[in-house]
Amino acid sequence: MASKNQNKAPPSPSNSKYSVDEVSVDKRRRIGNPKMPPNTVTRTQTRQAFSVVNGGQDLPPTSGPPSNCGSDCGVVGFTKEDVEALLNERLRIKNKFNYKEKSEQMAEYIKRLKQCIKWFQQLQENYITELEKQKKSLMKAKEDELNSIIVELRKNLEALQEKFSKEEFDKLEALDSLSRERDSRQAVERLQASLSEELKRTQQDNASANQKMQSLNDMYKRLHEYNASLQQYNSRLQSEIHTTNDALKRVEKEKAAVVENLSELRGHNTSLQEQLTLSRALHDEAIKQKEALGSEVACLRGELQKVREDRDCQLLQVQALSAEIVKYKECTGKSIAELDSLTTKTNELESTCLSQSEQIRRLQEQLAFAEKRLQLSNMSALETRSEFEEQKALIHDLKNRLADADLKIVEGEKLRKKLHNTILELKGNIRVFCRVRPLLSDDGVGTDTKVVSFPTAMEVLGRGIDLTQNGQKHSFTYDKVFMPDDSQEDVFVEISQLVQSALDGYKVCIFAYGQTGSGKTYTMMGKPGPPDQKGLIPRSLEQVFETRQILEAQGWKYEMQVSMLEIYNETIRDLLAPNRSSFDVTRLENSGKQYAIKHDANGNTHVSDLTIVDVRSSKEVSYLLERAAQSRSVGKTQMNEQSSRSHFVFTLRIMGVNESTDQQVQGVLNLIDLAGSERLSKSGSTGDRLKETQAINKSLSSLSDVIFALAKKEEHVPFRNSKLTYLLQPCLGGDSKTLMFVNVSPDPSSVGESLCSLRFAARVNACEIGIPRRQTNLRTSDSRLSIG
Ligand code: ADP
Ligand code: MG
């Protein structure tokens, strides 16, 4: 068999196909020969032999299922090389004709082939199941993937739907604003139309006024001309009168001369009668000449305008006449006077002529002057008109700018409110100020120990206070500490912003806390008398009314209402109730009035039966304050210093409307003078006093409970635990602003109470310094009370 193998060329990897064919041919041959000896090679041996056949090459491991099922399951594991070796196997027969051996080998070979086939089938089956499994897992993965894609798509769809609805809402809003804009545009167009109509009318008026002016000018010209002609006519008439008078005089003179001549001639002797007759004739002639001259004069009268031209000619005539007269003089010697008179007459005429031409010149000058003036006045009228137009344009422009400025003011005001609120929020919505009153004459007599001092370190300057008790120093810091010599004005400056907030529509509470005699009433109300002693309440009201006036110029209209009440032993007393002067305790406790406190949905508080007064000026409020003070002081005398045993609540409600911007604000300013905070032991109370003190303690501790609950943002805030906190519920918390004054007396005997007050105030103050205020306040105004 080895020799047979040697005869054959060893199978190479390149011609494996060939060798397989060879094997199959060979196999067929061997199968067809049952005498072939069976292959006795064991499986391990075969493996070794196969490795040799394959040149020791290691094939990659098959990815098929494990083939070591074992002979017990009838399947033996095969590798690729095993199969190839099996197929390439040759019968190893020494004797060609030993058929028995051959057939044994063949049987063995067939058995192994069968095993191989079985293994192959098993492999195939495994492959199929594996394939199925893989397919399933692939499907599963694909399905998962698709599911996740679907979920994502659903999410996308939801987001898109949300977006869509938002956009639809935006669109609706835009449509709304568009319609509003359209309305306003229409209104503007209507306004424009009416304005253009007015303009047209004005232009027409202007044109008619121009026409009227033109016609007036014409009339003026015509009148001027008429005046000139009248003047001419007048002067002509006057000159005529002159000449006529002259002529008359001359004629009279001539007549007289002639009569004289005649008488003279009569007196002459008769011999001269011939001469006389002659002279008479001459005289007649002279008369004739005179008449001719008279007619000439008349002619001159008619031609007065041409006198200047005619003058030479007349002079010539006069000369001729003079010559004639000389001739006649020679004859008679008696017509000289006549001639003279004629000459004078001519001279006179000449002078008249001259004066008249002078007059004409003057009149012409006047006319020219008047014309010039007319021109000037025309020009100035034109100028005035253009100036008028310019002024109109300027006014229009200014009006526009005014409207713009108004708009800007309104916007600026909005911004100011926002910024103002932000500033206050940054400062903290609950703030604590401490005020130490000066030492009074009846304080701490005999002791000169100073219990209150103010640290001068930079970081606590104006904010720190040290209290020494039994040699132990306690230090406190607040938002602000007012020293004994700080004036009422200094204090007010610090709270004026809160008052402004009330005008801007916020709810503001300002408390004065401290033991009796520490200066609460002085801080809130001040001292009657000099204006610099006025307290926060009157000063706030002055500011409110002053600012109201300024805001009214921007279109704001405010209504103010004042109420004042007192809470004594958990009972409300109306300090503005009519007929309160006859005060008595039983009426107070049992007046039949309920004074029930109710809050509506808008955060407004109503106290039934409480007197609410509309006020329009700070004077009115001063009057009401006086009334309330009187009402309290009546109680004070009859009820043992009751004023310091009750809480005084002054409330100013501010309702503002701006019709031009459609804005509305509702602010409340509460100014509260709390009852004295001294503890029970100090007042040494029994009976009614004990009840009083307990009521005070209860309400003050309720106030602190409310503040601390708000600061801790607790779900339940115990507003209802006292009348005071329930009354002020809407003004404590939410968007409201609270300020507490802690009043301290520097009297050494009060040091215990002062320490208590300062400790309480420090706890309140801690409400907003627990965590960085700035961050909290910037996020949301409600979180301003957060405590660390
Ligand atoms: P309270 O109302 O806390 O009982 P008051 O306001 O009645 O205290 O003050 C007690 C006294 O001290 C009053 O006579 C008041 O005029 C005076 N007083 C309080 N604070 C000051 C101050 N800052 N400057 C001057 N006098 C003051
Ligand atoms: Mg008081």
Side-chain angles (χ1 to χ4, degrees):
M1 190 170 159
S3 60
K4 189 164 183 188
N5 273 349
Q6 274 163 0
N7 294 344
K8 286 245 169 206
S12 70
S14 55
N15 56 3
S16 59
K17 192 176 188 299
Y18 166 73
S19 56
V20 167
D21 286 350
E22 192 83 332
V23 169
S24 49
V25 168
D26 196 79
K27 207 166 41 175
R28 262 175 265 134
R29 210 166 42 212
R30 272 180 280 167
I31 290 164
N33 190 351
K35 280 178 187 166
M36 250 186 180
N39 198 345
T40 51
V41 185
T42 60
R43 197 171 139 54
T44 40
Q45 278 170 333
T46 322
R47 265 182 179 271
Q48 274 168 355
F50 290 159
S51 301
V52 172
V53 169
N54 289 328
Q57 258 178 310
D58 268 334
L59 283 166
T62 50
S63 58
S67 51
N68 51 355
C69 189
S71 53
D72 49 281
C73 66
V75 184
V76 182
F78 288 84
T79 62
K80 196 179 172 188
E81 303 98 85
D82 292 347
V83 176
E84 261 173 31
L86 187 67
L87 293 178
N88 289 336
E89 208 176 297
R90 301 277 180 277
L91 292 175
R92 291 176 192 87
I93 307 164
K94 279 167 195 159
N95 187 358
K96 233 181 182 180
F97 303 102
N98 189 350
Y99 291 111
K100 197 176 169 211
E101 194 191 348
K102 211 172 178 180
S103 76
E104 271 169 11
Q105 274 190 17
M106 282 293 268
E108 178 68 22
Y109 187 68
I110 285 162
K111 195 175 154 196
R112 276 193 289 134
L113 272 177
K114 266 183 189 164
Q115 273 179 346
C116 182
I117 287 161
K118 230 183 205 170
W119 165 78
F120 186 74
Q121 276 174 343
Q122 181 78 33
L123 199 68
Q124 207 176 16
E125 241 169 63
N126 285 347
Y127 267 127
I128 285 162
T129 51
E130 182 67 15
L131 205 69
E132 216 109 277
K133 239 194 259 166
Q134 292 243 338
K135 238 189 218 166
K136 261 185 209 160
S137 71
L138 207 70
M139 285 277 274
K140 187 115 192 287
K142 253 286 155 31
E143 204 177 274
D144 286 351
E145 205 178 308
L146 281 172
N147 277 344
S148 70
I149 286 171
I150 284 166
V151 167
E152 214 168 286
L153 281 175
R154 270 202 195 123
K155 263 189 220 158
N156 277 354
L157 182 72
E158 261 167 38
L160 280 173
Q161 269 174 345
E162 215 170 274
K163 222 182 190 175
F164 175 71
S165 60
K166 217 204 282 171
E167 270 183 8
E168 206 164 46
F169 179 71
D170 284 356
K171 201 180 82 187
L172 281 179
E173 230 169 59
L175 277 176
D176 213 26
S177 73
L178 188 76
S179 70
R180 255 182 283 133
E181 250 171 49
R182 201 183 299 145
D183 284 351
S184 63
R185 208 189 61 200
Q186 275 171 353
V188 167
E189 272 172 359
R190 256 179 273 139
L191 192 71
Q192 197 193 18
S194 73
L195 278 175
S196 57
E197 223 169 84
E198 211 174 300
L199 187 75
K200 240 185 234 168
R201 245 184 290 135
T202 316
Q203 276 173 346
Q204 277 172 0
D205 285 356
N206 191 15
S208 70
N210 277 350
Q211 267 180 356
K212 235 186 220 171
M213 203 160 115
Q214 193 77 37
S215 69
L216 279 173
N217 277 347
D218 286 351
M219 199 144 87
Y220 173 73
K221 249 186 219 166
R222 256 181 283 132
L223 280 174
H224 200 76
E225 276 165 17
Y226 182 61
N227 186 20
S229 69
L230 274 178
Q231 274 177 345
Q232 274 181 0
Y233 182 63
N234 183 23
S235 57
R236 224 182 302 145
L237 280 178
Q238 270 181 352
S239 64
E240 262 172 42
I241 288 166
H242 273 298
T243 48
T244 316
N245 281 347
D246 287 348
L248 201 69
K249 270 184 201 160
R250 216 184 322 126
V251 168
E252 268 171 7
K253 264 188 201 165
E254 273 169 15
K255 202 176 127 188
V258 169
V259 170
E260 220 178 293
N261 275 350
L262 267 172
S263 60
E264 263 177 51
L265 283 170
R266 263 183 212 143
H268 278 305
N269 57 33
T270 47
S271 63
L272 281 174
Q273 265 188 348
E274 278 171 27
Q275 259 187 3
L276 183 72
T277 48
L278 187 71
S279 66
R280 259 184 199 153
L282 274 173
H283 176 72
D284 288 344
E285 217 173 302
I287 286 168
K288 269 183 208 157
Q289 269 180 357
K290 193 184 84 189
E291 276 167 4
L293 279 171
S295 69
E296 249 176 90
V297 165
C299 169
L300 279 171
R301 243 181 248 153
E303 291 171 28
L304 193 64
Q305 289 291 62
K306 296 176 207 162
V307 169
R308 222 181 277 163
E309 296 106 301
D310 291 348
R311 195 183 54 196
D312 290 340
C313 151
Q314 275 186 5
L315 273 173
L316 279 175
Q317 262 182 329
V318 167
Q319 273 171 1
L321 281 171
S322 319
E324 247 177 285
I325 286 163
V326 167
K327 218 168 41 176
Y328 292 137
K329 235 182 172 173
E330 273 172 10
C331 294
T332 60
K334 283 167 192 168
S335 296
I336 294 160
E338 218 178 307
L339 189 72
D340 280 349
S341 82
L342 277 174
T343 318
T344 54
K345 191 190 93 181
T346 315
N347 282 344
E348 267 168 22
L349 279 174
E350 258 175 43
S351 72
T352 331
C353 181
L354 265 175
S355 81
Q356 279 187 351
S357 60
E358 177 65 18
Q359 212 177 350
I360 287 165
R361 199 182 54 76
R362 265 211 309 273
L363 281 171
Q364 272 173 346
E365 268 174 13
Q366 266 177 11
L367 184 68
F369 183 64
E371 268 171 1
K372 240 188 213 166
R373 264 175 51 183
L374 184 70
Q375 251 176 2
L376 271 176
S377 70
N378 274 348
M379 253 153 66
S380 75
L382 265 176
E383 264 170 30
T384 318
R385 201 174 305 144
S386 66
E387 225 170 86
F388 171 69
E389 293 292 328
E390 267 170 33
Q391 297 270 1
K392 228 160 91 176
L394 192 69
I395 286 168
H396 187 70
D397 188 39
L398 282 173
K399 268 187 190 162
N400 281 348
R401 274 165 58 186
L402 189 69
D404 280 355
D406 277 347
L407 217 78
K408 266 186 204 159
I409 286 172
V410 168
E411 262 157 31
E413 181 62 19
K414 270 191 213 161
L415 190 68
R416 184 199 63 70
K417 276 187 189 173
K418 223 171 115 189
L419 289 177
H420 177 68
N421 193 39
T422 314
I423 287 169
L424 286 189
E425 271 167 15
L426 289 176
K427 283 187 175 178
N429 278 7
I430 285 197
R431 286 191 288 156
V432 178
F433 289 177
C434 174
R435 187 179 193 186
V436 182
R437 74 157 163 78
L439 261 174
L440 301 174
S441 50
D442 46 354
D443 277 343
V445 263
T447 49
D448 45 19
T449 41
K450 238 173 101 182
V451 290
V452 176
S453 57
F454 303 95
T456 49
M458 210 44 217
E459 65 270 20
V460 290
L461 192 67
R463 299 200 304 118
I465 177 169
D466 295 338
L467 192 78
T468 316
Q469 189 190 30
N470 304 329
Q472 198 187 348
K473 196 163 101 177
H474 304 271
S475 299
F476 299 94
T477 40
Y478 302 103
D479 289 301
K480 178 92 194 155
V481 172
F482 294 102
M483 302 198 199
D485 50 357
D486 279 334
S487 67
Q488 299 279 56
E489 174 66 21
D490 295 336
V491 177
F492 178 69
V493 163
E494 289 294 322
I495 68 130
S496 68
Q497 284 175 329
L498 279 176
V499 176
Q500 179 62 46
S501 279
L503 270 170
D504 292 347
Y506 285 91
K507 296 192 169 76
V508 177
C509 267
I510 302 177
F511 295 96
Y513 180 95
Q515 68 175 121
T516 303
S518 59
K520 298 185 296 295
T521 307
Y522 181 82
T523 300
M524 281 299 167
M525 296 285 284
K527 229 161 120 176
D532 62 317
Q533 295 289 311
K534 275 191 285 192
L536 298 186
I537 296 178
R539 282 173 198 268
S540 303
L541 290 162
E542 273 163 24
Q543 188 190 333
V544 164
F545 284 105
E546 267 167 31
T547 317
R548 179 175 86 161
Q549 264 188 343
I550 296 168
L551 291 173
E552 264 172 2
Q554 296 168 17
W556 283 97
K557 277 199 187 113
Y558 281 100
E559 272 178 31
M560 317 255 181
Q561 291 179 333
V562 162
S563 62
M564 288 182 227
L565 58 87
E566 195 173 30
I567 302 175
Y568 173 72
N569 272 354
E570 284 299 287
T571 314
I572 289 178
R573 293 170 55 198
D574 184 359
L575 292 175
L576 296 181
N579 307 322
R580 265 196 62 95
S581 49
S582 58
F583 181 89
D584 84 76
V585 188
T586 47
R587 235 202 64 193
L588 167 123
E589 300 283 4
N590 204 358
S591 56
K593 292 193 171 172
Q594 291 299 307
Y595 299 122
I597 302 166
K598 273 193 193 116
H599 304 299
D600 68 11
N602 299 329
N604 295 321
T605 307
H606 303 280
V607 180
S608 60
D609 296 328
L610 185 71
T611 313
I612 292 172
V613 183
D614 286 303
V615 286
R616 279 169 297 277
S617 68
S618 57
K619 256 197 189 145
E620 280 179 32
V621 185
S622 315
Y623 166 72
L624 293 177
L625 280 172
E626 254 169 51
R627 237 175 82 186
Q630 241 173 2
S631 191
R632 278 194 103 188
S633 65
V634 171
K636 185 171 161 182
T637 50
Q638 295 188 8
M639 290 202 62
N640 196 11
E641 278 279 359
Q642 197 201 315
S643 73
S644 66
R645 318 300 304 148
S646 66
H647 308 299
F648 166 69
V649 182
F650 169 92
T651 307
L652 176 72
R653 284 183 193 75
I654 301 168
M655 288 141 290
V657 184
N658 192 336
E659 267 158 20
S660 59
T661 59
D662 258 356
Q663 283 174 296
Q664 233 178 347
V665 293
Q666 280 201 324
V668 182
L669 180 64
N670 286 302
L671 298 159
I672 301 134
D673 184 357
L674 291 171
S677 62
E678 54 272 17
R679 288 156 301 167
L680 202 54
S681 55
K682 191 172 178 189
S683 23
S685 326
T686 49
D688 277 354
R689 290 291 270 171
L690 183 69
K691 198 177 144 200
E692 259 178 21
T693 315
Q694 280 169 342
I696 294 164
N697 285 352
K698 187 182 156 216
S699 58
L700 286 179
S701 66
S702 302
L703 180 62
S704 53
D705 289 347
V706 163
I707 290 172
F708 298 141
L710 283 171
K712 286 185 200 145
K713 286 202 203 125
E714 278 171 9
E715 232 164 72
H716 174 70
V717 181
F719 286 115
R720 280 178 182 269
N721 281 4
S722 77
K723 280 261 156 66
L724 179 70
T725 48
Y726 190 50
L727 177 74
L728 298 174
Q729 178 172 356
C731 304
L732 293 168
D735 227 359
S736 60
K737 300 173 195 305
T738 310
L739 173 72
M740 179 170 284
F741 273 95
V742 54
N743 287 94
V744 173
S745 155
D747 180 5
S749 66
S750 300
V751 69
E753 283 302 330
S754 299
L755 190 59
C756 276
S757 296
L758 290 175
R759 278 189 177 141
F760 168 71
R763 279 185 68 205
V764 173
N765 203 33
C767 284
E768 24 104 17
I769 54 170
I771 49 173
R773 217 189 298 168
R774 195 168 291 237
Q775 271 183 8
T776 331
N777 289 332
L778 278 176
R779 217 183 318 129
T780 148
S781 54
D782 287 326
S783 54
R784 76 208 184 286
L785 288 170
S786 324
I787 188 160

